[in-house]
């Protein structure tokens, strides 16, 4: 059945494609006719590809990757030009043209093997003429051999057809790698989005739960500290220490919540969020942000955390007196430059968090470079791709 259906589909498809090619070439003196013929040719080819793939799956158990051959065909000149330039388009057309001839030939051979072989076995019964008796027995022997070989002949022809289909209707190694990269990119984007959503949930829970209760506790301790004058010295000291500890824990929790996902970044954008980071820095920071629009949320988050962590590293490790942050959005890239006048010698393996920053940047296909000679200065340069 595989070869018989292949003959029918191949003959129809090959004839249709050949006719459309002749129509397009014959009407080349016009402008519209070749475009219509080319569009129709691609539509017919795509439909035949679906039919042929289904046939190979049904009879031979072939499997096909998702992706390129499922793309819709439009009659827009630019889209048609892109399809014409695609190697897979020509592979499809090649298979359908080959199938028009091979399918009919293979089906004819298979049918002949299954019908003529058994018929030739009965050749000795056709006559008793002694002059023809030997020839009849030879035909009988050939019929037996042909009947026995018919399954192998059919399988061989079908296997050859399957090989042609895998090569011409399947995906090349390059296309398979492109599909794999696309799948990995989609998976990574999903993972980043899930992590961002989880950070938001934790930030919301901490802000609405633990932070509110700690605020209430600190206020109550402050009221007790201010109003209870008749406590023993030890009791008053314990309340004062508890009050100070509660305020410190509340400050730490606010910093943690801000670090998970700052509300100002969501509400007012990267410029305002980085201004807040620079204002909190224990060393003076000169900030310049040149952006004419907001970028994708995940890119904004990466840029914010890179600058925030880099300034934290400057304050903790560099012994710098000044730092500068420059942010520019141009040519579809968000470019960050963080520099300080510290002692230098920053190393991504030295426990300063630079490897973590590099990992964050790579999560959005960005580039991360550190220049930090001994004696300084230290310069971090980051480029984050942004869709326009």
């Amino acid at each position: 059945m595989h070869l018989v259906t292949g003959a029918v589909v191949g003959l129809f498809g090959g004839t249709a494609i050949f006719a459309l090619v002749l129509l397009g070439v014959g009407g080349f003196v016009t402008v519209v006719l070749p475009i219509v013929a080319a569009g129709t040719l691609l539509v017919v080819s795509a439909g035949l590809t679906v039919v042929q793939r289904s046939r190979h799956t049904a009879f031979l158990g072939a499997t096909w990757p998702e992706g390129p051959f499922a793309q819709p065909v439009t009659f827009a000149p630019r889209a048609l030009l892109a399809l014409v330039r695609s190697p897979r388009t020509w592979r499809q057309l090649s298979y359908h043209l080959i199938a028009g001839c091979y399918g009919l030939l293979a089906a004819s051979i298979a049918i002949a093997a299954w019908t003529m072989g058994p018929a030739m076995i009965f050749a000795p019964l056709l006559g008793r003429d002694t002059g023809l008796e030997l020839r009849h027995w030879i035909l009988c022997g050939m019929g037996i051999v042909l009947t026995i070989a018919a399954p192998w002949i059919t399988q061989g022809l079908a296997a050859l057809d399957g090989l042609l289909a895998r090569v011409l209707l399947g995906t090349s190694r390059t296309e398979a790698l492109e599909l794999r990269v696309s799948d990995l990119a989609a998976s990574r984007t999903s993972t980043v989005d899930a992590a961002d959503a989880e950070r938001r949930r934790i930030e919301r829970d901490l802000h609405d739960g633990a932070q509110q209760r700690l605020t209430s506790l600190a206020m109550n301790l402050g009221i007790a500290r201010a109003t209870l004058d008749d406590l023993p010295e030890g009791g008053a000291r314990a309340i004062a220490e508890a009050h100070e500890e509660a305020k410190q824990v509340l400050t730490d929790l606010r910093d943690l919540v801000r670090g998970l996902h700052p509300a100002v970044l969501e509400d007012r954008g990267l410029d305002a969020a980085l201004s807040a980071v620079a204002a909190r820095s224990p060393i003076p920071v000169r900030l310049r942000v040149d952006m004419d629009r907001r970028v994708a949320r995940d890119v904004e988050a990466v840029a914010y955390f890179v600058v925030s962590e880099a300034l934290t590293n400057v304050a903790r490790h560099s012994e710098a007196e000044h730092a500068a942050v420059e942010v520019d959005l141009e040519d579809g890239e968000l470019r960050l430059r963080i520099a300080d006048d510290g002692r230098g010698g920053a190393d991504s393996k030295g426990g300063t968090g630079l490897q973590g920053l590099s990992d964050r940047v790579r999560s959005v296909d960005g580039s991360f470079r550190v220049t930090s000679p001994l004696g300084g200065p230290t310069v971090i340069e980051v480029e984050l791709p942004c869709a326009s």
Side-chain angles (χ1 to χ4, degrees):
M1 287 299 296
H2 173 77
L3 294 177
V4 173
T5 56
V8 175
V9 175
L11 184 60
F12 167 78
T15 303
I17 289 177
F18 187 71
L20 287 170
V21 170
L22 290 180
L23 179 63
V25 173
F28 199 75
V29 292
T30 67
V31 177
V32 177
L33 188 58
I35 295 177
V36 174
T40 305
L41 177 64
L42 293 174
V43 171
V44 171
S45 179
L48 286 171
T49 298
V50 173
V51 173
Q52 291 284 20
R53 282 182 155 195
S54 301
R55 183 174 67 88
H56 283 271
T57 299
F59 294 109
L60 301 181
T63 58
W64 311 95
E66 297 295 332
F69 298 102
Q71 293 179 352
V73 178
T74 65
F75 286 85
R78 182 174 298 179
L80 289 177
L81 183 60
L83 287 172
V84 168
R85 290 177 175 176
S86 174
R88 62 176 175 264
T89 300
W90 295 102
R91 293 204 308 269
Q92 289 184 70
L93 290 173
S94 298
Y95 177 81
H96 299 315
L97 288 173
I98 293 173
C101 300
Y102 177 79
L104 185 61
L105 176 63
S108 300
I109 294 174
I111 292 174
W114 283 101
T115 56
M116 292 181 62
M120 292 168 63
I121 293 176
F122 298 98
L125 302 179
L126 296 178
R128 297 293 182 178
D129 190 335
T130 56
L132 298 177
E133 186 174 352
L134 179 60
R135 181 181 300 178
H136 289 165
W137 283 107
I138 293 175
L139 289 175
C140 177
M142 294 175 59
I144 294 173
V145 172
L146 188 59
T147 301
I148 295 174
W152 283 275
I153 293 174
T154 304
Q155 291 176 5
L157 294 171
L160 180 57
D161 188 26
L163 176 62
L164 289 172
R166 285 195 301 274
V167 173
L168 299 177
L169 297 184
T171 56
S172 66
R173 180 176 176 80
T174 300
E175 291 169 345
L177 290 175
E178 289 176 353
L179 288 174
R180 179 60 176 163
V181 169
S182 298
D183 291 341
L184 291 175
S187 176
R188 184 195 61 192
T189 300
S190 176
T191 301
V192 171
D193 291 343
D196 184 63
E198 184 65 14
R199 283 198 302 269
R200 290 169 182 271
R201 184 191 66 79
I202 295 174
E203 182 261 343
R204 183 175 60 251
D205 291 345
L206 290 175
H207 181 273
D208 297 339
Q211 187 172 329
Q212 297 298 327
R213 289 193 293 272
L214 276 174
T215 301
S216 177
L217 175 61
M219 290 178 60
N220 290 334
L221 288 172
I223 293 173
R225 182 179 182 183
T227 58
L228 298 177
D229 299 330
D230 55 348
L231 289 176
E233 182 179 352
R237 187 186 308 112
I239 290 179
E241 291 176 355
H243 183 215
E244 295 301 325
E245 188 69 21
K247 290 194 295 182
Q248 183 60 47
V249 171
L250 184 59
T251 300
D252 293 343
L253 182 60
R254 284 171 177 166
D255 291 340
L256 175 62
V257 170
R258 189 183 296 113
L260 286 172
H261 193 87
V264 66
L265 178 63
E266 183 73 18
D267 299 335
R268 299 172 55 192
L270 188 60
D271 192 353
L274 293 183
S275 297
V277 171
R280 293 194 304 269
S281 175
I283 63 173
V285 177
R286 178 173 55 84
L287 174 67
R288 181 180 65 81
V289 179
D290 185 8
M291 298 175 62
D292 57 1
R293 60 180 175 85
R294 295 193 64 172
V295 296
R297 189 175 62 188
D298 56 341
V299 174
E300 278 190 343
V302 169
Y304 171 84
F305 287 119
V306 166
V307 173
S308 179
E309 181 66 21
L311 291 180
T312 299
N313 288 341
V314 170
R316 291 179 178 176
H317 307 291
S318 71
E319 301 177 2
E321 296 182 357
H322 301 87
V325 177
E326 297 177 0
V327 181
D328 295 285
L329 178 61
E330 58 182 13
D331 299 331
E333 285 188 336
L334 185 64
R335 298 173 182 172
L336 314 176
R337 187 178 186 274
I338 306 101
D340 68 74
D341 58 0
R343 57 188 174 87
D347 184 3
S348 60
K349 299 179 181 179
T352 57
L354 293 178
Q355 186 59 50
L357 295 184
S358 177
D359 293 341
R360 278 187 182 271
V361 171
R362 288 205 310 270
S363 71
V364 291
D365 286 336
S367 64
F368 181 88
R369 295 184 298 276
V370 178
T371 303
S372 184
L374 289 176
T378 297
V379 178
I380 297 176
E381 294 177 298
V382 175
E383 295 178 356
L384 304 173
C386 306
S388 58

